[in-house]
Structure formats: C-alpha cells, structure tokens
Amino acid sequence: SQELEQSPQSLIVQEGKNLTINCTSSKTLYGLYWYKQKYGEGLIFLMMLQKGGEEKSHEKITAKLDEKKQQSSLHITASQPSHAGIYLCGAVINAGGTSYGKLTFGQGTILTVHP
Amino acid sequence: DTGVSQDPRHKITKRGQNVTFRCDPISEHNRLYWYRQTLGQGPEFLTYFQNEAQLEKSRLLSDRFSAERPKGSFSTLEIQRTEQGDSAMYLCASSLVFIRAAEAFFGQGTRLTVV
C-alpha cells in the first residue's frame, strides 16, 4: 500500500468549475509539497506546507495542511485548460534533518479541463 | 539562475549498454536528489547528496547504478548493463537545506528507453 494516497486518481471538469485533490497519509507529514507535471516533463513546484493548519495560495490554487499534519488538499478555483496536467503530492514522512527533501510521492491525480 | 538542468532529455539505448545522465542543480543548493518515475506512478527516491557526500541510497538502487557529485556541484547517474526494466524517467531535484525543510525544485528529467 502507498504511504501517501491521492484522490481522485483522475478528474475531468468543465472550465470554470472548482475542484479539490486530496493527499492522505497514516503518518505525520513533516513537509508537504505539491507539484504539477505535464506528460513526459519534469515537476513544477507549486507550494510547500510545513505547519499544521497552514494554508497557502498562488493565483487560483490553494493548498492546506490539516492540524494533525496527515492530510492536505489542493483546491483550484475557476479551473482553466491551462490547469490540466498531473498533480503530485510529495511529503517528508520521516523526521530528522537528513530526511528533509527526500520525498515520498503519491501516485498523482490526472486533471483534464474541458473548455 | 536557470533552474535545475538535466542532460540528455531523452536516451534510447540497447539492453546491456551503459548510460550516464547529468544533472546541474541550482547553483547555491547544497542538496541534490535523484528520483525515478515510471508511467502512471509518482517519482521514487533513489539517492541524494549533501554537497559531495552521498548520504542515502534506496534499495531500488542496485549495484548496476552509481551516482557521483564531485566537488558538490553537478551530479552524474550511471547505469551499467541496462535492462528493459530500467526504462523510466530519471528526475533530479535540488534544494537548499540546513535544518529545516526547504523547497525542492526538479529538472525536466531524462527519459530512458532500453530496447
């Protein structure tokens, strides 16, 4: 089983709709990262969350980390075709200074936005 | 600063051949990570360096794989006697980490196809 579960695995929305992607772990997350990936390309950094209850926004994308630091959500408001791609959450699951940056990833959520 | 750079972007090789990939991190970043990503999955951690020291290797990194980061700058990942199962996207990331988690930025990846 995955240490980091993402849901849904795929999502098809109409342009202008809001959507949420979830990332869940049974373990405490010491750093939660959201990335976007276009097929066949590298990962584009979106946001990093560290503190329980933390919330960050960039343009129309908002990410939150719950108080227990075991679940994060990524919310896109008024989706556009440019938002289409694969969204990946990655997390530092083991505490300790040497572990930071060593990420465990979920399997990704494929987002399709129809114009 | 142009971000994390990887070379080549694509590599097709015959089974049994050796291949080498290069990663140039963001210049001031002290941490460099290698990940492998297969189709439909999130990236999996392979190894990482702090400056020139290789601090951790995943069990995924068989003895056919070797990575170096001479002088703490660029890094190379070599695969000897390639097998079809080595076909994947190889991703490099870098971050500036002292005692806290830090943003990790990825390159465009090297897609390896073993025929």
Side-chain angles (χ1 to χ4, degrees), chain B residues 17-65:
Chain B
Q17 297 294 305
N18 300 342
V19 294
T20 300
F21 311 140
R22 176 179 171 126
C23 171
D24 286 272
I26 293 171
S27 58
E28 67 270 22
H29 283 185
N30 57 347
R31 287 261 178 106
L32 186 149
Y33 312 84
W34 284 100
Y35 290 82
R36 182 173 70 185
Q37 185 180 26
T38 53
L39 201 62
Q41 300 296 317
E44 295 175 294
F45 169 79
L46 292 178
T47 188
Y48 84 94
F49 294 82
Q50 177 146 323
N51 300 314
E52 66 275 9
Q54 188 173 17
L55 295 186
E56 188 173 342
K57 292 192 287 186
S58 162
R59 59 178 173 76
L60 293 175
L61 218 64
S62 74
D63 56 6
R64 296 184 297 105
F65 288 71

Side-chain angles (χ1 to χ4, degrees), chain A residues 2 30-31 33 35 37 39-43 45 48 50 88 97-108, chain B residues 9 31 33 35 37 39-43 45 48 56 89 91 97 99-109 111:
Chain A
Q2 293 265 0
Y30 294 94
Y33 299 68
Y35 291 91
Q37 185 178 33
Y39 179 76
E41 298 184 6
L43 278 61
F45 175 82
M48 182 188 78
Q50 281 184 262
L88 290 154
T98 59
S99 296
Y100 285 122
K102 174 191 166 187
L103 302 179
T104 298
F105 282 90
Q107 73 272 38
Chain B
R9 290 288 306 277
R31 287 261 178 106
Y33 312 84
Y35 290 82
Q37 185 180 26
L39 201 62
Q41 300 296 317
F45 169 79
Y48 84 94
E56 188 173 342
M89 173 79 90
L91 294 160
V97 174
I99 59 173
R100 287 185 165 279
E103 298 167 348
F105 298 93
F106 281 77
Q108 287 295 304
R111 178 164 296 283

Side-chain angles (χ1 to χ4, degrees), chain A residues 56 69 107:
Chain A
K56 287 186 177 178
K69 299 203 300 182
Q107 73 272 38

Side-chain angles (χ1 to χ4, degrees), chain A residues 8-114:
Chain A
Q9 290 191 342
S10 63
L11 194 52
I12 302 173
V13 299
Q14 203 68 32
E15 181 177 1
K17 295 294 186 184
N18 302 337
L19 62 104
T20 300
I21 299 168
N22 294 302
C23 179
T24 303
S25 175
S26 58
K27 301 179 181 179
T28 301
L29 306 175
Y30 294 94
L32 190 290
Y33 299 68
W34 282 100
Y35 291 91
K36 180 184 175 184
Q37 185 178 33
K38 292 283 191 181
Y39 179 76
E41 298 184 6
L43 278 61
I44 299 168
F45 175 82
L46 296 176
M47 276 169 276
M48 182 188 78
L49 305 165
Q50 281 184 262
K51 301 175 184 176
E54 187 175 9
E55 179 175 323
K56 287 186 177 178
S57 293
H58 176 67
E59 297 179 344
K60 295 184 177 180
I61 301 176
T62 300
K64 302 178 186 179
L65 183 62
D66 74 335
E67 288 290 344
K68 290 175 63 179
K69 299 203 300 182
Q70 289 185 304
Q71 184 170 354
S72 178
S73 60
L74 184 83
H75 184 76
I76 299 177
T77 303
S79 58
Q80 301 168 353
S82 61
H83 287 127
I86 303 167
Y87 289 82
L88 290 154
C89 66
V92 178
I93 293 182
N94 296 311
T98 59
S99 296
Y100 285 122
K102 174 191 166 187
L103 302 179
T104 298
F105 282 90
Q107 73 272 38
T109 296
I110 302 171
L111 173 63
T112 303
V113 181
H114 284 148

